[in-house]
């Protein structure tokens, strides 16, 4: 027998697939894409609050975004980043969830493309936001955080020295 929960799971799966296909088949420099991505993401969030635990979805989304290379406009980049941060913020498990880890992969990839997609100053701001949302400072020295910590460490090497030093001070700051 078909249940409402099963129907919801099917709907969520279809919407995730549609969102990945939307990214894969559209240019990330088109304003209509930004609007469609924002609306689909909001709808998906309404029916699936803890989206960040779905590793397959985020790996597919990452691949679709990265196939665009450096053709990502600033406004579309901001929509993708803000949407992803919103997913992390609403999550009950954002700290060690695949959505957090794969978001850091996206930041690393975009940063590796130079300042065209993710300038260093903007990267520093985004890292601060995601670290705040995910509660990174509280978990920095814990073993279960080591994989994600490695990704943050790599991102710190991409930051200008003054931003990297700020992070080091925050991380090494003794707990009060």
């Amino acid at each position: 027998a078909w249940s409402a929960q099963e129907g919801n799971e099917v709907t969520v799966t279809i919407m995730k697939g549609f969102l990945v296909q939307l990214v894969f088949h559209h240019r990330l420099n088109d304003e209509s894409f930004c609007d469609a991505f924002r609306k689909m993401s909001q709808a998906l969030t309404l029916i699936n609050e803890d989206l960040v635990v779905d590793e397959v979805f985020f790996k597919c989304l990452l691949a679709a975004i990265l196939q665009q290379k450096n053709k990502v406009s600033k406004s579309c980049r901001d929509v993708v980043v803000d949407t992803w941060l919103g997913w992390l913020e609403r999550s009950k498990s954002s700290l060690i969830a695949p959505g957090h880890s794969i978001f850091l992969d996206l930041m690393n990839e975009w940063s590796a493309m130079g300042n065209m997609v993710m300038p260093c100053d903007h990267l520093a701001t985004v890292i601060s936001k995601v670290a705040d949302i995910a509660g990174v400072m509280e978990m920095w020295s814990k073993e279960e955080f080591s994989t994600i910590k490695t990704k943050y460490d790599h991102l710190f090497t991409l930051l200008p020295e003054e931003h990297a030093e700020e992070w080091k001070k925050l991380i090494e700051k003794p707990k009060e």
Side-chain angles (χ1 to χ4, degrees):
W2 184 266
S3 71
Q5 181 62 28
E6 289 170 337
N8 192 36
E9 288 175 22
V10 169
T11 303
V12 168
T13 302
I14 290 170
M15 289 179 72
K16 288 175 184 175
F18 181 78
L19 190 59
V20 169
Q21 288 300 309
L22 176 75
V23 173
F24 191 76
H25 292 290
H26 286 80
R27 297 193 192 289
L28 288 175
N29 58 6
D30 181 5
E31 289 305 313
S32 64
F33 163 80
C34 294
D35 191 43
F37 185 86
R38 186 180 303 108
K39 287 177 181 175
M40 275 302 297
S41 300
Q42 288 170 348
L44 189 54
T45 301
L46 289 174
I47 60 173
N48 188 359
E49 287 186 9
D50 210 13
L51 188 63
V52 298
V53 298
D54 188 342
E55 184 174 11
V56 173
F57 167 67
F58 282 104
K59 283 184 176 182
C60 292
L61 187 59
L62 176 67
I65 290 169
L66 292 179
Q67 63 94 22
Q68 300 280 336
K69 305 236 184 270
N70 58 357
K71 299 175 194 149
V72 181
S73 71
K74 180 183 180 285
S75 60
C76 287
R77 176 206 65 203
D78 290 345
V79 166
V80 169
V81 167
D82 291 344
T83 299
W84 212 311
L85 291 175
W87 288 331
L88 290 171
E89 197 164 28
R90 285 186 269 304
S91 173
K92 298 167 188 73
S93 54
S94 67
L95 187 61
I96 54 174
H100 182 190
S101 177
I102 295 169
F103 179 76
L104 297 176
D105 292 340
L106 176 63
M107 294 301 99
N108 272 308
E109 291 291 332
W110 274 354
S111 297
M113 294 177 191
N115 283 337
M116 290 189 67
V117 178
M118 184 59 70
C120 291
D121 288 343
H122 191 64
L123 176 64
T125 302
V126 171
I127 292 173
S128 293
K129 285 180 184 177
V130 74
D132 252 3
I133 289 168
V136 167
M137 297 309 164
E138 294 81 31
M139 292 292 288
W140 193 258
S141 60
K142 299 201 174 166
E143 181 62 33
E144 64 265 25
F145 191 67
S146 62
T147 303
I148 293 178
K149 180 181 174 184
T150 303
K151 293 178 183 194
Y152 275 101
D153 285 339
H154 182 262
L155 282 169
F156 297 152
T157 66
L158 303 172
L159 294 175
E161 190 63 32
E162 66 270 10
H163 292 298
E165 287 301 317
E166 285 177 37
W167 270 97
K168 287 177 187 171
K169 287 177 187 172
L170 281 173
I171 293 163
E172 295 167 0
K173 187 169 116 177
K175 300 285 182 206
E176 297 172 2

